[in-house]
Amino acid sequence: MAQIQQEDKLNLAPKKFNMWIFIFTSFMFFAALTSGFIVYAGGGKHGINFKMPQVFLYSTIIIAASSITMFMASRAAKRVQIAQQRLFLSLTIGLGVAFFAIQVYAWLILLPSMGIYFSNPNASQSFVYVFIWMHLLHILAGLLLLINTLIRSYKNVAPVKNLFNMQMSSIFWHFVDIIWIYLYVFLLLNQY
């Protein structure tokens, strides 16, 4: 109760509402992309026509692990264990960077090795790039948010503000994790 009153005094509730609005619009954006893919593919005439590279599985495992470290950072923030919060937040950032790097490496597999290009007669293959690029844009935003939260944890801020920063970062990071898992499963189900 005291925390809610403290949050109200700091006027943090509208910021959290804005985050939920952003997440909802991002969800709708990805739902529209996958719907567009389904309409274009139209019963298998224009499928992806290639097998998803194994490297996407590795990136999925890494992003799932980053969700665990983010949970641990949030739990540490709730317990006001700032050192542990910083450690798990740093691990989450490291895993996020690794995810980003593996996704870029996947492009290198798709382009020269498999001959799958963004611009080609089969737009289903182009959708794969759009899914990856739009998700990586969200990952980049999430990494910037996590870095900001880590930097703020080193400043002398009130515990309620530190916890609020962790909550905002956690909400967004778990969202991008869930979106990737959704996209990965969607692409696996539509690869042939």
Side-chain angles (χ1 to χ4, degrees):
M1 181 72 170
Q3 180 183 351
I4 293 171
Q5 290 172 344
Q6 185 77 9
E7 283 186 19
D8 288 340
K9 286 180 187 175
L10 295 171
N11 202 20
L12 301 176
K15 292 179 182 177
K16 195 178 282 188
F17 179 74
N18 287 340
M19 174 65 80
W20 283 111
I21 292 292
F22 179 77
I23 286 174
F24 178 74
T25 56
S26 293
F27 170 77
M28 293 306 294
F29 174 75
F30 283 106
L33 282 177
T34 53
S35 295
F37 174 89
I38 291 168
V39 168
Y40 178 78
K45 293 179 182 177
H46 303 286
I48 295 175
N49 299 331
F50 68 87
K51 187 174 184 211
M52 295 297 292
Q54 189 73 18
V55 72
F56 285 117
L57 174 62
Y58 305 141
S59 65
T60 304
I61 292 168
I62 287 174
I63 199 101
S66 76
S67 230
I68 294 168
T69 58
M70 190 66 199
F71 171 76
M72 301 293 281
S74 293
R75 191 171 70 175
K78 287 177 186 171
R79 294 178 179 172
V80 193
Q81 298 170 332
I82 304 301
Q84 280 192 332
Q85 173 192 348
R86 291 175 186 152
L87 170 68
F88 288 118
L89 205 49
S90 298
L91 287 171
T92 305
I93 292 168
L95 289 168
V97 169
F99 175 84
F100 195 94
I102 289 174
Q103 292 288 302
V104 171
Y105 175 69
W107 295 345
L108 298 175
I109 292 173
L110 288 174
L111 285 171
S113 298
M114 296 178 74
I116 309 297
Y117 297 97
F118 175 69
S119 179
N120 65 54
N122 184 357
S124 293
Q125 294 176 351
S126 301
F127 268 102
V128 174
Y129 283 97
V130 174
F131 292 149
I132 293 170
W133 292 343
M134 290 298 104
H135 185 260
L136 283 182
L137 187 63
H138 283 75
I139 287 288
L140 186 60
L143 285 172
L144 292 174
L145 187 61
L146 291 176
I147 290 167
N148 183 45
T149 302
L150 181 62
I151 290 169
R152 286 182 176 205
S153 75
Y154 281 98
K155 296 180 180 177
N156 198 11
V157 297
V160 69
K161 272 213 122 160
N162 181 50
L163 184 58
F164 174 77
N165 292 333
M166 278 303 302
Q167 287 174 344
M168 295 289 280
S169 297
S170 184
I171 289 167
F172 190 76
W173 194 254
H174 290 307
F175 168 72
V176 295
D177 291 0
I178 290 166
I179 286 294
W180 174 252
I181 292 168
Y182 163 72
L183 289 174
Y184 178 65
V185 170
F186 179 82
L187 291 171
L188 281 180
L189 293 174
N190 288 289
Q191 59 188 340
Y192 278 109

